[in-house]
Amino acid sequence: MSAYPTEVNRMRIVEIKAVKDENLNVKTIFFEDDLCSSAEAGQFVMVWIPGVDEIPLTLSSIGSRSKDGLSSVTVAEVGEATRALRGMEAGELIGVRGPFGNHFETVSRGGRALVVGGGIGMASLMPLIERLVENDVETTVLFGVKSRSNLLFMERLGELSAQGRIRLLVTTEDGTYGAEGLVTEAAEKVLSSGRFDVVYSCGPEAMMYKIFGLAEKLGIPVQLSLERIIRCAIGICGSCVVGPYRVCRDGPIFTSDRLRVIRDFGRFRRDFNGRKTPI
Amino acid sequence: MRSQPSNPLETEVAGLRLRNPTMLASGILGTTSDILRRAAQSGAGAVVTKSVGPKPREGYPNPTVVEVGCGLLNAVGLPNPGIQAFAEEIRDLGDLEVPLIVSVYGFSPEEYAEVAEAAVEAGADAVELNLSCPHVKGAGADVGSRPELVSEIVERVKGVVDKPVFAKLTPNVSDIVGLAEAAVEAGADALTAINTLRAMAIDVETARPILSNRIGGLSGPAIKPVAVRCVYELHRELDVPIIGCGGVTSWRDAVEFMLAGASAVQVGTAVALKGLNIFRLITEGVKSYLERKGYGSVREIVGLSHRG
Ligand SMILES: Cc1cc2nc3c(=O)[nH]c(=O)nc-3n(C[C@H](O)[C@H](O)[C@H](O)COP(=O)(O)OP(=O)(O)OC[C@H]3O[C@@H](n4cnc5c(N)ncnc54)[C@H](O)[C@@H]3O)c2cc1C
Ligand SMILES: Cc1cc2nc3c(=O)[nH]c(=O)nc-3n(C[C@H](O)[C@H](O)[C@H](O)COP(=O)(O)O)c2cc1C
Ligand code: FES
């Protein structure tokens, strides 16, 4: 009867099965949930930290595709809710609704993909990378962080790289790991020296805006994951709008044709009260 | 005598001509000019903005919207950028293809008037007074549950705007007709019925209320029978256009509201259920109904269930 499955929006209370510190500021939280198990790469969930807040987090692993059948979110501490969540341990309860939104579309077998992640943005790209590799897409991953201590998912990425299933390039702003500089500089070089069918990216919007500009010049389609304030997550409250689209329902993944019509992209976002604030 | 409109769906509410009797309800997506334009392009006959007040307001922390199976529970807390910033969005919609109705709230009759005046100045075709604003100074209840306050607000607003004024009523009262009479006597040009019903959800595993505000408003299919009853009573007792709202999810629901006495309907929660295409789905269904039943215009069915 309905295009919008109310089942997905029902809040499930799940127990945290395991946690993993990715670095000093980032933690992955594993849980079991049937609906999340069948999610697609790039989709997000609303995580309720009882008594604190409810926040959007991308699935950093998807149960049906992980060895232990667990799904996960990976959270970077930036404020009250993320601090509370990062402090939680196995056995504690959280609420989960979702998965919500659209997802990354993988290119066809034999295609060539460039994946550009900035910091915690890598969380939403991990399931995508694993999917691309499964589909025999020739995948180059650029991962930029401030400093060596901000790296995350290096086991998962390192393994794929060691097996020769992805080409991995890491950049740090201070040169403490990989190449010194910004990931956008690395992207510019890689894009000019190779042919790509698609560019995927998730990270700070200023970074993605730059990546979009580079790809546009070369005529390569992009799929970027945008962030805005999420309240309802089901496309009715209007807090997440960018141009004529809703991040929670039409996004969070945006393709080049849509990005071209979003006047706000790379320029401003809406605050909790709906006022424009510069990116 | 005016001639029969050639478009059977075309109707009129308090002087506003609508190409069809569906409207986007307040608080549903109406936060920016771009998204309001998209709602219009998706087929709505008119669009109502998110409620705007005199000053910026952040609203409540999440969770603000909770699924309760038969509908949604929300306590978003009226986040809005304040009328001064929002006027920019209104001005941006000068060329909108359908009437733009700006929803207005305040914490006093003066504030309602101030916001309504600025909204009309910026280009609103009508204003809808959200009379379910919580925490009015002095009173614990909603503004809109006190007839004397409703009357004062409507009067003040009518005194400063020359566009139609809709009073949106709360169902959280024992006598909605009394409330409506106060609004109409003070000059309201139309009534919107209803806003959400006060409700709550508690999670049993953590033993906590889910909404950060604890109590919120119920919308969606669960409240439709209450809303239909309200519209029916209002149509029976008063001679003023009514806009039905509450749980409209299909053309059948829209027709039911019109038979009860609504000239048009607003759609909220169903935008989540069926997407923005809901306006087309409803209007196409209503059109087939009119053809099947042999009516030339949607206006012929307004209040039809009241006949002897
Ligand atoms: C679709 C989507 C996916 C995301 N995925 C991840 C992820 O996988 N890992 C991760 O660490 N972070 C992710 N985020 C960002 C994360 O939601 C915010 O960092 C978090 O909500 C901050 O909450 P806080 O209370 O700790 O911080 P606060 O101090 O409350 O806010 C800090 C900043 O976080 C952002 N923020 C706060 N609340 C929200 C909200 N309800 N919706 C959106 N942004 C908000 C705002 O920009 C705010 O200025 C995602 C955001 C979106 C929109
Ligand atoms: C998330 C949400 C936000 C709302 N915000 C407002 C608002 O700002 N002003 C208002 O008058 N009504 C608001 N409402 C109430 C709706 O306009 C409508 O009266 C109510 O939801 C019943 O209609 P429905 O069942 O079609 O949703 C809101 C409803 C929801 C679900
Ligand atoms: S978060 Fe409510 S519309 Fe997207």
Side-chain angles (χ1 to χ4, degrees):
Chain A
M1 172 207 108
S2 66
Y4 148 63
T6 51
E7 198 49 32
V8 165
N9 193 35
R10 196 176 53 81
M11 186 186 283
R12 289 89 68 190
I13 303 297
V14 300
E15 187 187 308
I16 298 176
K17 296 287 187 199
V19 297
K20 179 175 189 293
D21 284 312
E22 301 289 349
N23 65 39
L24 286 173
N25 196 48
V26 177
K27 189 165 180 169
T28 297
I29 297 198
F30 296 90
F31 57 92
E32 199 177 327
D33 177 67
D34 282 350
L35 289 166
C36 291
S37 255
S38 49
E40 300 278 356
Q43 286 193 295
F44 72 97
V45 289
M46 292 301 286
V47 174
W48 182 43
I49 305 122
V52 182
D53 202 344
E54 184 191 38
I55 57 169
L57 295 168
T58 311
L59 289 168
S60 58
S61 49
I62 292 167
S64 62
R65 294 171 176 274
S66 53
K67 289 179 204 104
D68 48 14
L70 300 180
S71 298
S72 70
V73 289
T74 299
V75 60
E77 180 176 327
V78 300
E80 192 195 357
T82 47
R83 182 178 322 122
L85 188 57
R86 201 176 72 85
M88 291 181 89
E89 296 297 339
E92 292 191 77
L93 300 179
I94 50 173
V96 174
R97 54 188 183 102
F100 296 114
N102 65 355
H103 54 85
F104 288 115
E105 298 286 350
T106 48
V107 285
S108 49
R109 202 165 288 272
R112 294 166 59 115
L114 177 64
V115 181
V116 185
I120 186 68
M122 210 62 204
S124 92
L125 297 170
M126 288 309 296
L128 168 72
I129 293 168
E130 285 159 1
R131 193 62 176 269
L132 290 170
V133 164
E134 250 174 62
N135 284 9
D136 290 328
V137 173
E138 207 181 306
T139 306
T140 301
V141 178
L142 302 184
F143 182 22
V145 290
K146 283 211 160 58
S147 185
R148 184 187 188 100
S149 63
N150 304 117
L151 286 168
L152 52 146
F153 303 121
M154 286 307 280
E155 277 168 39
R156 278 162 83 180
L157 289 169
E159 196 182 315
L160 291 171
S161 168
Q163 294 164 349
R165 305 181 74 185
I166 61 170
R167 181 158 77 109
L168 176 65
L169 285 164
V170 178
T171 61
T172 51
E173 287 174 31
D174 62 2
T176 46
Y177 191 96
E180 182 173 343
L182 293 172
V183 73
T184 45
E185 293 159 4
E188 193 162 2
K189 275 191 213 131
V190 169
L191 280 168
S192 62
S193 61
R195 186 187 58 80
F196 292 94
D197 300 308
V198 61
V199 178
Y200 300 100
S201 184
C202 182
E205 192 155 317
M207 177 202 96
M208 291 192 287
Y209 187 68
K210 188 87 197 289
I211 297 288
F212 177 57
L214 294 171
E216 282 289 272
K217 261 190 241 155
L218 297 165
I220 306 172
V222 302
Q223 296 183 30
L224 310 181
S225 180
L226 298 190
E227 286 187 10
R228 287 297 184 270
I229 301 295
I230 309 286
R231 286 192 173 99
C232 71
I234 53 175
I236 58 166
C237 76
S239 36
C240 70
V241 296
V242 278
Y245 304 112
R246 300 159 293 182
V247 165
C248 73
R249 184 117 171 206
D250 306 307
I253 314 301
F254 289 85
T255 51
S256 305
D257 51 337
R258 287 190 166 182
L259 291 166
R260 278 178 217 124
V261 304
I262 302 176
R263 296 183 282 178
D264 340 3
F265 174 51
R267 297 189 177 90
F268 62 84
R269 59 174 73 237
R270 303 267 174 175
D271 237 325
F272 283 96
N273 60 29
R275 274 199 296 192
K276 293 178 184 178
T277 47
I279 294 285
Chain B
M1 282 277 296
R2 48 188 310 165
S3 62
Q4 196 76 273
S6 55
N7 168 6
L9 292 169
E10 191 178 302
T11 190
E12 194 206 301
V13 176
L16 291 185
R17 275 165 65 100
L18 309 183
R19 63 186 178 187
N20 71 60
T22 67
M23 299 182 182
L24 177 74
S26 178
I28 309 303
L29 291 179
T31 48
T32 70
S33 58
D34 282 346
I35 200 76
L36 283 158
R37 183 171 280 118
R38 177 167 167 203
Q41 285 164 354
S42 302
V47 292
V48 186
T49 69
K50 172 79 193 162
S51 293
V52 191
K55 284 192 282 289
R57 199 178 135 95
E58 291 210 340
Y60 304 131
N62 282 343
T64 45
V65 181
V66 182
E67 180 79 46
V68 287
C70 48
L72 289 175
L73 199 54
N74 91 82
V76 185
L78 295 170
N80 79 97
I83 186 63
Q84 217 183 334
F86 196 75
E88 196 186 313
E89 311 289 337
I90 302 173
R91 281 193 289 269
D92 220 23
L93 289 168
D95 59 346
L96 193 69
E97 58 194 292
V98 300
L100 172 68
I101 300 150
V102 174
S103 171
V104 164
Y105 79 84
F107 292 103
S108 66
E110 294 77 13
E111 286 188 354
Y112 273 92
E114 173 198 330
V115 179
E117 189 175 15
V120 168
E121 210 163 272
D125 296 307
V127 294
E128 181 179 88
L129 307 176
N130 177 358
L131 297 169
S132 303
C133 178
H135 329 301
V136 200
K137 54 182 176 199
D142 298 347
V143 230
S145 53
R146 299 167 57 195
E148 67 288 357
L149 253 178
V150 164
S151 165
E152 200 185 331
I153 292 166
V154 173
E155 216 170 279
R156 287 261 182 175
V157 171
K158 284 296 289 181
V160 293
V161 304
D162 55 1
K163 298 279 179 181
V165 173
F166 303 173
K168 183 170 179 182
L169 306 173
T170 172
N172 301 313
V173 289
S174 53
D175 178 21
I176 196 166
V177 173
L179 209 57
E181 274 166 353
V184 172
E185 274 162 28
D189 300 286
L191 302 170
T192 304
I194 54 177
N195 211 314
T196 53
L197 278 141
R198 281 165 68 78
M200 182 169 189
I202 297 168
D203 170 57
V204 299
E205 296 303 323
T206 58
R208 285 175 185 276
I210 302 179
L211 289 172
S212 76
N213 192 51
R214 290 155 193 268
I215 290 175
L218 182 63
S219 64
I223 71 169
K224 195 193 73 176
V226 177
V228 170
R229 183 268 298 167
C230 290
V231 169
Y232 189 89
E233 287 184 344
L234 294 172
H235 185 84
R236 190 176 59 198
E237 306 298 334
L238 296 161
D239 186 23
V240 62
I242 301 161
I243 301 153
C245 180
V248 175
T249 307
S250 68
W251 68 264
R252 276 175 193 282
D253 299 330
V255 168
E256 186 178 353
F257 270 97
M258 291 188 277
L259 295 173
S263 298
V265 294
Q266 293 183 353
V267 183
T269 302
V271 170
L273 293 166
K274 294 188 168 172
L276 280 161
N277 198 37
I278 182 74
F279 300 103
R280 293 234 161 80
L281 293 174
I282 292 177
T283 47
E284 277 161 23
V286 170
K287 196 166 171 224
S288 317
Y289 173 84
L290 296 175
E291 280 164 15
R292 181 156 60 81
K293 294 284 186 181
Y295 297 113
S297 162
V298 72
R299 300 178 193 203
E300 291 171 38
I301 69 168
V302 174
L304 202 63
S305 71
H306 290 263
R307 71 186 185 284

